[in-house]
């Protein structure tokens, strides 16, 4: 089963399970606030914000709360997750597109034609093959004007044995058993445990951002039990060779 299909099969349980995760939505709002602090006004209609890997729209909701004047474009590769996002109530100007982040550069979706005024990506890179992550970031960079802010929000535990232990205990003691009770796809949540354990270090992500053409990369960790487990990265699109 493809990863996007696994997300689709568990889509209806996803919001409930994340709702039981203390701090999950708080940290999404905190990351969205970091983007809000950097976004310029954009057009008279408000800034255009891309929410890459938007899933069921939890990150989109955080962006709507923190940047209420924004026009939001959610992008995800899972039809089931995106369907749930589309079914929710949104402010005018919010749209959703079924697409993979890897395909952004050659996407034929009309909604992706305009350059964004900000890009948000929660839990995206972890679901991209390791050898393709820098290339995906470079693809995103090429769709952004110089100076446009980017915020990434994702797990990383390789730099802390304590974080690895906490993440493993939470996954096998709470998340995976809960997925069985709720008739979600346990293999998906086992994958999520493994993908976090193997995910890039924060230093590697910052280097990927530099290699992809972003500048001013910084990282801060979450609070509560997510400390040293969940991280938010901020950067801005640098000038490409043709723009210097």
């Amino acid at each position: 089963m493809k990863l996007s299909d696994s997300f689709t099969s568990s889509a209806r349980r996803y919001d409930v399970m994340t709702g039981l995760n203390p701090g999950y939505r708080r940290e999404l709002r905190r990351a969205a606030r970091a983007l809000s602090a950097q976004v310029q006004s954009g057009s008279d209609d408000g800034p255009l914000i891309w929410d890459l890997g938007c899933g069921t729209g939890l990150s989109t909701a955080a962006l709507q709360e923190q940047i209420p004047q924004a026009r939001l474009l959610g992008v995800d590769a899972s039809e089931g997750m995106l369907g749930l996002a589309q079914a929710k109530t949104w402010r005018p100007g919010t749209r959703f597109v079924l697409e993979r982040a890897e395909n952004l550069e050659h996407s034929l979706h009309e909604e992706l034609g305009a350059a964004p005024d900000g890009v948000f990506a929660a839990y995206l890179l972890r679901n991209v093959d390791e050898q393709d992550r820098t290339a995906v970031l470079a693809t995103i960079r090429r769709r952004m004007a110089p100076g446009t802010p980017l915020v990434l929000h994702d797990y990383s535990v390789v730099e802390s044995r304590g974080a690895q232990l906490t993440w493993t205990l939470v996954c096998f003691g709470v998340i995976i058993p809960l997925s069985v009770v709720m008739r979600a796809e346990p293999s998906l949540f086992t994958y999520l445990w493994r993908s976090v354990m193997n995910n890039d270090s924060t230093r590697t992500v910052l280097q990927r951002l530099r290699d992809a053409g972003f500048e001013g990369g910084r990282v801060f960790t979450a609070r509560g039990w997510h400390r040293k487990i969940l991280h938010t990265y901020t950067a801005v699109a640098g000038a490409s060779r043709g723009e210097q």
Side-chain angles (χ1 to χ4, degrees):
M1 180 182 291
K2 294 192 303 183
L3 181 59
S4 58
D5 293 335
S6 294
F7 275 109
T8 291
S9 67
S10 297
R12 294 192 178 278
R13 286 85 170 178
Y14 190 81
D15 282 5
V16 175
M17 293 189 66
T18 56
L20 296 173
N21 181 340
Y24 182 95
R25 301 187 189 193
R26 179 198 66 215
E27 294 302 326
L28 272 177
R29 292 192 296 270
R30 189 175 177 221
R33 198 176 306 128
L35 182 63
S36 175
Q38 300 181 73
V39 169
Q40 301 299 313
S41 60
S43 71
D44 293 339
D45 297 327
L48 173 61
I49 306 298
W50 285 4
D51 182 15
L52 303 180
C54 67
T56 63
L58 296 178
S59 53
T60 317
L63 290 165
Q64 180 174 256
E65 178 181 323
Q66 299 300 320
I67 318 176
Q69 74 278 21
R71 295 169 291 140
L72 301 174
L73 180 62
V75 181
D76 202 87
S78 167
E79 187 173 0
M81 301 283 271
L82 204 64
L84 287 181
Q86 290 172 316
K88 296 177 181 179
T89 301
W90 303 101
R91 290 196 182 99
T94 302
R95 296 164 294 167
F96 294 91
V97 168
L98 182 66
E99 186 60 275
R100 296 178 61 83
E102 296 92 325
N103 297 341
L104 282 178
E105 193 161 27
H106 305 292
S107 176
L108 299 178
H109 287 284
E110 183 179 348
E111 293 90 342
L112 290 164
D117 298 300
V119 175
F120 189 85
Y123 314 114
L124 174 68
L125 285 187
R126 186 186 70 240
N127 294 320
V128 173
D129 289 341
E130 182 178 359
Q131 67 272 16
D132 298 329
R133 291 171 187 165
T134 301
V136 167
L137 287 172
T139 293
I140 295 170
R141 161 61 195 93
R142 287 192 289 270
R143 300 301 305 274
M144 302 166 69
T148 301
L150 167 76
V151 168
L152 304 177
H153 187 63
D154 213 334
Y155 293 102
S156 175
V157 299
V158 298
E159 293 163 319
S160 168
R161 289 188 179 275
Q164 294 172 35
L165 177 60
T166 299
W167 176 246
T168 297
L169 290 174
V170 168
C171 284
F172 286 93
V174 180
I175 296 175
I176 295 173
L178 185 60
S179 72
V180 174
V181 171
M182 297 188 65
R183 298 183 181 179
E185 183 66 46
S187 63
L188 171 62
F189 296 94
T190 302
Y191 157 78
L192 292 176
W193 165 76
R194 185 174 60 253
S195 67
V196 170
M197 294 294 286
N198 296 330
N199 201 20
D200 291 333
S201 69
T202 58
R203 291 188 296 271
T204 297
V205 174
L206 291 171
Q207 184 60 56
R208 289 190 190 281
L209 286 167
R210 288 190 291 269
D211 293 343
F214 289 92
E215 299 175 350
R218 296 185 178 184
V219 59
F220 61 86
T221 190
R223 298 171 292 188
W225 82 266
H226 290 100
R227 179 172 171 77
K228 295 187 178 181
I229 295 174
L230 182 59
H231 307 272
T232 299
Y233 307 83
T234 63
V236 298
S240 69
R241 292 179 180 177
E243 295 163 335
Q244 292 176 335

